[in-house]
Amino acid sequence: MLSKIKTCVLYGLEGYEVDVETDLSGGLPNFSIVGLPDISIRESKERVRSALKNSGFGFPVSRITVNLAPANLKKEGSQIDLPIAVGILAANKIIEKNIDEKTCIIGELSLDGNITVVDGALPMVISMRNNNFEKVVVPDENKEECGAIEGIDIIPMGSIRELVHYFNGYLDIEPYKVNYNYSDYNETFQEDFSEIKGQPAMKRAVEIAAAGMHNILLLGSPGSGKTMIARRIPTILPDLTFEESLEVTKIYSISGLLNKNGLIKKRPFRSPHHTSSRVSMAGGGSKPSPGEVSLSHYGVLFLDEIPEFPKNVIEVLRQPMEDGNISISRANGSFTFPAKFMMVASMNPCPCGYLGDPTHECTCNRGQIDKYLGKISGPLLNRIDIQIEVSPVKYDDLNNDKTEESSLDIKKRIVKARSIQQKRYLGLGILTNSELSGKYISKFCKINKESQELLKDAFERLGLSARAYNKILKVSRTIADLEGIENIETKHILEAIQYRNLDRKYWR
Amino acid sequence: MENLNFSQKTIAWLNSANGISNRKIDALFNYFGGNPKDLWDNFKKEKNNLKLKQEIINYLIKTKDDFEESFIQKLKKESVKIVTLLDDDYPKKLKEIDGPPYILYYKGSLSNIDNISIAVVGSRKATSYGKWAAEKFTDELSELGVNIISGLASGIDTIAHKTALKSNVKTIGVIGCGIDIIYPKSNERLYREIVENEGAVITEHPFGMQPLPNNFHARNRIISGLSYGVVVIEAQERSGTLITAGHAANQGREIFAVPGNIDSLYSKGTNALIKDGAKITTSINDIIEEILELKERIKQKQNLIDYSTLSDDEMKIINCLKLESKTIYELNEETKIATGNLLSLLTMLEMKGALKQLTGNKFIINI
């Protein structure tokens, strides 16, 4: 009386096939699970026992041995509840028909026999499809997120009873399909760019940053609208494509942050507080889960008051900003999560916040200011393409009812600029200008002789730092793309230089 | 020099006598009512009333008739030129001092001598700090286009001259011996380079005069006399450098003393100068601040922006900023230039030196 059921465990974002072998034999009644199960799986004994009993199938009085193969792989996650229960039912011949090798079962059990939601269903389903499975049984509540996957049948299941009927052939459940029609999908936001009065330079910088996915640093006194504009950046970013959406949903799925709406269509906007720890930023834990950098994949990671963050928290951003992913190594393995985000950071010019403010006096001394600015390390500054200084809004500007441009108008321009970039970088594994590096910069950011002379002149006269050079080229590329111009012109470079002002004024 | 005018001939002749001081020449001129011709013609007649040593009178009378011819030959041979106190091209700054030298022998060119000049002087035995400071200040002064004056001695003087040459400004070396003698020998090449670069090597001493200790005392008054201010890099107590500073004080020149460690032998003199009221100098701005002409020059340099070369849009921005500093937003409102364009125009204007950026994202016209 042996049965074999296929299920899946997750390592990072990757799902691995696991066999649940169940053997019923004579002897003293006993229930043991072997094959490196973790605590959540050991506890599933109790859930399985009660769920079977309460579903009316009874728990076999015999010696039950469950083996999770391969035996050398550590297994984690409550999704193994259901396959164990099914294994017992199959071994006990309550499920009479053979469950074939191409069917994978995942799901957690509640004591009443219902199948409840699991974390990470989407990445598991995708991995199983890639492992040539034909059918996967998922909890009913996970069907929305999984329904969009092509090439594998999604069988949503509400309870053990339903499942037994299904496998015995008394109940027919249609594979669940969701059709996401991305063309008529329109995300609605509560915020809008038109609410920001004045501040054209800040808006312009943010628009360029969004168009090229450039990291941006906003520096200014309190009340200049830094946070306000940062929160509105998702409203001008292009909608997620299906592939992007799938990738983002995977990350949210394993983090257990999905609601029932299925795939995530809104670009993520994460705003971790400055008391966040290193692990919460990078991801980790004994069972590594994605951190803020991965949760903001394809979206915006907003760090408000960046100097207030502990230095070691900020420094973990360096690798993901460079590589677009983060590798976390722990005793039980190394995991890689994607982390391609647009960093938006804001800060005050000094600890009191009023350096250079027209209406308040700054009370900091030079040493305090240097210490404050020193919290932003050179390597981090190096990875920020656009830096701008913003000044507080005047009362008159707040009060006037001049209509400002709406997010939708700005978004149109950005979408256009992005599609130019995508066309240009087709097949290079690059989506946006911000990802250009070394040889690609010299290939795609060519400037004519006149501009070269000018840039050289600017370096000497304006005292730009060497790190600014590539940034200026990349940002000029984006400005030209926004205008739909193929070659970078002098005026684009001149404008890009303006976005390196802080280097000159604050960090020399 | 092909020929000499009458006063040149007379002064050179008097100066050629070994042991006659500048003050004596002055006395002689006074005796003859400031008239060189009178002096030349009546010297023999009045010889006993001149309070001169007998051997000097004898020497002068002996050489008087053949003097001009042999002197011109010497000048030609060494390609030396002279200028006297009575000539129009005598350095104006030097004329102001008490007891200006009656004659200057020089190699090179004096055409730039009336430009703003600053002396950089210091100890012969310089420390590495002194060398660094000399180079720094000379270099920064050179950027302002001033002449660098020094004493062609080893140590700080050499560094001052060399740095000036490297920065391509005129440099003038004042020496304490005859123009045909190079002292110290190690500076022979520097001596040549100064002359080749249209600077000048100057002395008040006749041909063949050896570098006697007393000569340097007198030389130092010329160094300070030619300059608008004297930068003292390093000086020991009771050194020639301090004598230069003393002359400068007497002549009403600014003294800029570069401070040093109080336990450094080579900064004792400069620290003492500071104690006595010399300007403590830690940056080029300390120098600019005190010299009116330099301040003016910097102002003029900045005012050199030719507004007629600016485009219409650029002028719009300039006009907006004429009265007060403004933020980008205000500029945007007033000029109606699109933000992206405005930003590039602002960079351009900043590069042209027409405006400056302040903290708080404001722009101001550069005056």
Side-chain angles (χ1 to χ4, degrees):
Chain A
M1 294 209 284
L2 178 78
S3 72
K4 209 168 175 182
I5 305 294
K6 298 279 186 187
T7 186
C8 176
V9 293
L10 273 183
Y11 268 74
L13 281 180
E14 215 40 55
Y16 292 90
E17 182 184 331
V18 168
D19 290 343
V20 179
E21 300 166 341
T22 312
D23 181 52
L24 300 187
S25 58
L28 279 177
N30 186 24
F31 186 7
S32 66
I33 301 176
V34 296
L36 294 184
D38 83 332
I39 292 174
S40 66
I41 299 178
R42 279 176 213 277
E43 285 176 345
S44 71
K45 273 190 218 168
E46 307 306 323
R47 287 194 293 272
V48 170
R49 193 195 306 269
S50 304
L52 287 182
K53 193 190 80 191
N54 291 334
S55 303
F57 296 114
F59 194 72
V61 185
S62 50
R63 188 181 173 84
I64 306 170
T65 309
V66 174
N67 177 36
L68 307 177
N72 62 351
L73 188 75
K74 274 194 177 172
K75 288 105 191 154
E76 289 171 318
S78 55
Q79 76 277 9
I80 299 196
D81 285 5
L82 187 60
I84 292 175
V86 174
I88 292 172
L89 290 171
N92 210 10
K93 295 291 173 213
I94 291 173
I95 294 175
E96 293 152 352
K97 289 192 178 157
N98 199 21
I99 299 172
D100 66 51
E101 292 251 300
K102 296 287 177 198
T103 301
C104 174
I105 297 173
I106 57 175
E108 183 183 319
L109 287 177
S110 77
L111 298 188
D112 59 5
N114 283 333
I115 299 170
T116 54
V117 65
V118 297
D119 290 343
L122 181 69
M124 285 193 255
V125 169
I126 293 175
S127 304
M128 289 305 102
R129 178 198 58 190
N130 297 343
N131 282 352
N132 297 324
F133 277 81
E134 286 163 359
K135 193 189 277 182
V136 59
V137 174
V138 301
D140 199 52
E141 287 168 74
N142 287 108
K143 69 178 178 193
E144 292 293 338
E145 60 178 286
C146 304
I149 310 297
E150 306 261 325
I152 190 163
D153 288 346
I154 307 295
I155 313 294
M157 206 63 82
S159 66
I160 292 190
R161 228 166 221 296
E162 221 174 284
L163 181 136
V164 170
H165 291 321
Y166 173 74
F167 279 117
N168 281 338
Y170 302 129
L171 180 71
D172 195 21
I173 299 176
E174 277 288 302
Y176 189 79
K177 278 261 164 282
V178 188
N179 267 331
Y180 284 100
N181 196 343
Y182 268 76
S183 55
D184 26 285
Y185 167 72
N186 260 327
E187 188 57 71
T188 47
F189 290 92
Q190 289 174 353
E191 304 99 350
D192 197 275
F193 251 68
S194 57
E195 291 154 13
I196 304 169
K197 301 284 184 193
Q199 305 285 30
M202 177 166 76
K203 282 184 189 164
R204 170 84 180 163
V206 165
E207 179 179 335
I208 293 166
M213 207 71 177
H214 298 288
N215 297 318
I216 181 171
L217 173 67
L218 305 162
L219 184 146
S221 313
S224 42
K226 306 183 293 284
T227 310
M228 190 174 181
I229 200 163
R231 294 202 173 280
R232 283 160 181 75
I233 290 176
T235 68
I236 58 168
L237 288 174
D239 297 323
L240 285 172
T241 62
F242 178 68
E243 283 75 22
E244 286 173 338
S245 160
L246 217 53
E247 222 172 302
V248 174
T249 311
K250 258 161 83 171
I251 297 167
Y252 277 71
S253 175
I254 57 170
S255 310
L257 291 174
L258 279 185
N259 47 24
K260 287 190 185 151
N261 296 339
L263 292 193
I264 290 179
K265 295 149 215 150
K266 227 180 198 173
R267 280 197 187 263
F269 178 85
R270 300 294 295 186
S271 167
H273 189 250
H274 59 70
T275 51
S276 307
S277 69
R278 226 171 72 220
V279 169
S280 73
M281 191 66 84
S286 62
K287 172 195 172 193
S289 56
E292 293 291 344
V293 291
S294 302
L295 292 174
S296 46
H297 186 51
Y298 287 134
V300 175
L301 177 66
F302 176 45
L303 303 175
D304 207 356
E305 308 297 348
I306 189 168
E308 301 297 338
F309 281 82
K311 197 154 193 155
N312 59 358
V313 174
I314 295 298
E315 297 304 305
V316 303
L317 297 175
R318 278 157 54 173
Q319 189 221 347
M321 281 166 94
E322 198 81 337
D323 306 339
N325 60 45
I326 187 160
S327 293
I328 301 160
S329 287
R330 291 291 180 268
N332 52 356
S334 163
F335 305 88
T336 300
F337 293 117
K340 241 180 218 177
F341 54 87
M342 165 179 171
M343 187 183 93
V344 179
S346 82
M347 66 184 290
N348 291 331
C350 66
C352 85
Y354 290 113
L355 184 68
D357 188 277
T359 50
H360 293 75
E361 197 185 349
C362 171
T363 56
C364 311
N365 62 38
R366 193 66 237 174
Q368 286 173 313
I369 297 172
D370 287 345
K371 195 174 160 212
Y372 183 78
L373 295 174
K375 288 186 181 170
I376 315 293
S377 71
L380 186 74
L381 271 183
N382 248 344
R383 289 167 173 81
I384 299 177
D385 292 351
I386 298 183
Q387 322 160 334
I388 57 156
E389 194 175 11
V390 290
S391 33
V393 203
K394 288 196 174 135
Y395 178 78
D396 292 347
D397 298 333
L398 286 179
N399 209 20
N400 74 13
D401 34 319
K402 212 183 95 181
T403 47
E404 302 279 349
E405 223 175 357
S406 75
S407 290
L408 210 64
D409 294 338
I410 302 173
K411 187 170 170 176
K412 273 181 199 150
R413 291 199 294 269
I414 289 173
V415 169
K416 218 175 92 197
R418 282 277 184 101
S419 69
I420 293 175
Q421 294 169 42
Q422 266 158 29
K423 225 173 273 165
R424 185 180 325 124
Y425 305 134
L426 204 67
L428 295 178
I430 295 178
L431 290 176
T432 54
N433 291 335
S434 64
E435 295 168 59
L436 289 176
S437 60
K439 66 174 188 203
Y440 288 140
I441 291 180
S442 42
K443 183 170 175 195
F444 295 114
C445 304
K446 278 205 190 95
I447 53 176
N448 60 23
K449 201 147 184 127
E450 185 198 350
S451 303
Q452 254 163 21
E453 301 268 297
L454 179 125
L455 200 52
K456 195 175 146 231
D457 209 29
F459 263 78
E460 277 164 17
R461 285 186 193 221
L462 304 179
L464 293 169
S465 69
R467 68 165 82 109
Y469 183 78
N470 280 347
K471 313 269 156 206
I472 289 173
L473 288 183
K474 284 202 266 184
V475 173
S476 328
R477 179 69 266 167
T478 305
I479 299 172
D481 288 342
L482 267 174
E483 289 180 20
I485 295 173
E486 199 184 325
N487 293 318
I488 299 176
E489 290 171 10
T490 311
K491 62 175 180 181
H492 304 137
I493 289 176
L494 285 170
E495 187 181 347
I497 291 173
Q498 283 291 336
Y499 303 127
R500 299 305 299 178
N501 276 334
L502 301 188
D503 258 359
R504 293 162 47 201
K505 277 193 271 189
Y506 293 89
W507 294 277
R508 292 208 146 256
Chain B
M1 272 182 126
E2 290 303 314
N3 45 21
L4 305 173
N5 62 34
F6 207 84
S7 56
Q8 280 173 340
K9 180 175 80 178
T10 312
I11 294 169
W13 166 63
L14 287 173
N15 185 257
S16 71
N18 215 346
I20 193 164
S21 69
N22 196 56
R23 198 173 302 157
K24 270 275 143 51
I25 297 176
D26 196 39
L28 284 175
F29 263 86
N30 280 342
Y31 185 87
F32 289 102
N35 186 346
K37 193 166 162 44
D38 217 17
L39 198 160
W40 181 265
D41 290 347
N42 299 326
F43 185 79
K44 219 169 183 174
K45 208 164 68 195
E46 300 279 344
K47 65 180 181 184
N48 292 326
N49 303 327
L50 299 177
K51 295 178 187 160
L52 286 175
K53 282 187 194 151
Q54 198 53 48
E55 62 223 47
I56 293 179
I57 296 175
N58 289 346
Y59 175 84
L60 285 173
I61 291 173
K62 201 178 84 194
T63 55
K64 194 175 166 213
D65 293 336
D66 309 331
F67 178 76
E68 187 166 1
E69 200 180 325
S70 65
F71 186 69
I72 288 181
Q73 235 163 36
K74 263 188 215 161
L75 289 181
K76 269 190 187 153
K77 190 176 150 227
E78 300 275 343
S79 56
V80 172
K81 284 168 255 181
I82 61 165
V83 61
T84 69
L85 189 55
L86 305 179
D87 295 330
D88 293 336
D89 47 356
Y90 189 83
K92 291 199 176 51
K93 206 68 184 160
L94 198 55
K95 241 181 212 171
E96 295 170 2
I97 70 170
D98 185 27
Y102 262 84
I103 184 166
L104 293 175
Y105 301 80
Y106 66 94
K107 275 188 180 183
S109 155
L110 283 190
S111 55
N112 282 307
I113 197 83
D114 292 328
N115 179 13
I116 302 174
S117 304
I118 303 282
V120 178
V121 297
S123 166
R124 283 190 171 84
K125 285 181 240 149
T127 66
S128 56
Y129 164 70
K131 286 177 185 162
W132 169 82
E135 203 171 322
K136 167 188 155 76
F137 282 112
T138 312
D139 198 46
E140 288 171 353
L141 284 167
S142 303
E143 252 170 53
L144 302 172
V146 304
N147 295 343
I148 302 295
I149 299 185
S150 198
L152 255 172
S154 50
I156 301 288
D157 288 10
T158 302
I159 290 170
H161 286 302
K162 278 187 178 162
T163 313
L165 285 173
K166 213 167 29 179
S167 311
N168 226 353
V169 291
K170 306 284 171 264
T171 178
I172 292 138
V174 185
I175 56 177
C177 51
I179 193 96
D180 50 344
I181 291 174
I182 293 174
Y183 175 84
K185 263 276 176 262
S186 58
N187 271 349
E188 189 173 347
R189 186 164 154 207
L190 181 62
Y191 190 108
R192 223 174 43 233
E193 278 176 354
I194 292 176
V195 172
E196 279 164 9
N197 276 286
E198 291 169 40
V201 176
I202 300 181
T203 182
E204 62 171 326
H205 300 293
F207 287 105
M209 173 66 83
Q210 291 301 312
L212 306 173
N214 268 345
N215 295 351
F216 287 95
H217 200 300
R219 167 200 76 158
N220 290 345
R221 88 179 193 289
I222 303 180
I223 293 181
S224 57
L226 284 170
S227 340
Y228 283 63
V230 178
V231 183
V232 185
I233 304 288
E234 271 187 329
Q236 282 171 276
E237 262 173 322
R238 278 194 293 270
S239 61
T241 310
L242 284 197
I243 294 170
T244 312
H247 283 306
N250 289 338
Q251 294 161 355
R253 307 288 189 251
E254 287 298 333
I255 302 170
F256 303 100
V258 178
N261 286 347
I262 54 175
D263 63 348
S264 162
L265 210 57
Y266 298 98
S267 288
K268 282 230 159 85
T270 45
N271 288 342
L273 282 175
I274 291 167
K275 226 190 270 177
D276 290 343
K279 170 102 182 179
I280 180 164
T281 305
T282 54
S283 84
I284 184 77
N285 290 333
D286 293 327
I287 299 174
I288 296 168
E289 219 163 60
E290 294 295 328
I291 297 181
L292 203 67
E293 290 85 351
L294 267 185
K295 255 200 232 165
E296 291 284 313
R297 173 175 290 187
I298 287 167
K299 242 189 197 169
Q300 274 172 9
K301 243 190 185 167
Q302 283 167 345
N303 279 346
L304 281 182
I305 307 148
D306 186 1
Y307 283 128
S308 63
T309 61
L310 301 184
S311 71
D312 286 353
D313 277 348
E314 285 175 331
M315 264 331 275
K316 247 195 216 165
I317 297 172
I318 293 289
N319 286 332
C320 258
L321 289 172
K322 268 203 171 130
L323 290 177
E324 51 173 351
S325 65
K326 292 201 169 120
T327 62
I328 294 183
Y329 180 51
E330 289 165 320
L331 285 172
N332 204 260
E333 284 284 284
E334 286 175 40
T335 57
K336 305 277 179 238
I337 302 171
T339 315
N341 249 336
L342 181 67
L343 287 168
S344 35
L345 287 172
L346 285 170
T347 317
M348 201 66 217
L349 281 171
E350 205 181 341
M351 283 174 59
K352 285 179 181 166
L355 47 79
K356 254 195 319 219
Q357 213 174 124
L358 306 174
T359 46
N361 221 5
K362 279 187 163 181
F363 289 84
I364 189 170
I365 284 199
N366 208 350
I367 303 171

